[in-house]
Amino acid sequence: MRNRIEDTQAQKSVRDLKIGESGEICCLKDPEMALKLLEMGCIPGTPVKLNSKAPFGDPVTIIVNDYTLSLRLDEAETILLK
């Protein structure tokens, strides 16, 4: 049986999505970032879609609850998907 740390490392995050791909938020990896993301609507169980990436890949924009949210890649990496 794998431990919890290995499970989160193998799990896909918003950072791993390609433009146009969608997923459902599973959980938030970083407790300090979690409050900020929760306030912006990144709640577990919510669908999320990668909308665009800047020319060098950072930042990215996602669609959550019918609005567009811009995130740095390190923030996007903390949003884990089912």
Side-chain angles (χ1 to χ4, degrees):
M1 184 175 186
R2 297 184 320 181
N3 67 30
R4 187 176 175 97
I5 294 172
E6 289 173 348
D7 288 341
T8 58
Q9 288 177 345
Q11 201 166 13
K12 192 172 186 177
S13 72
V14 170
R15 181 181 183 147
D16 301 321
L17 293 175
K18 293 181 179 18
I19 295 174
E21 284 187 329
S22 299
E24 186 176 325
I25 298 173
C26 165
C27 52
L28 304 173
K29 187 163 69 170
D30 182 359
E32 292 179 18
M33 183 81 57
L35 180 59
K36 176 183 173 184
L37 293 169
L38 288 168
E39 289 173 344
M40 292 189 289
C42 296
I43 299 166
T46 304
V48 62
K49 178 180 178 182
L50 185 65
N51 188 46
S52 66
K53 291 184 178 184
F56 293 106
D58 192 10
V60 297
T61 60
I62 60 172
I63 298 174
V64 181
N65 294 325
D66 295 326
Y67 71 93
T68 303
L69 178 62
S70 181
L71 299 172
R72 295 186 302 255
L73 286 178
D74 61 334
E75 295 169 330
E77 188 174 30
T78 67
I79 303 172
L80 301 178
L81 304 173
K82 288 183 181 179

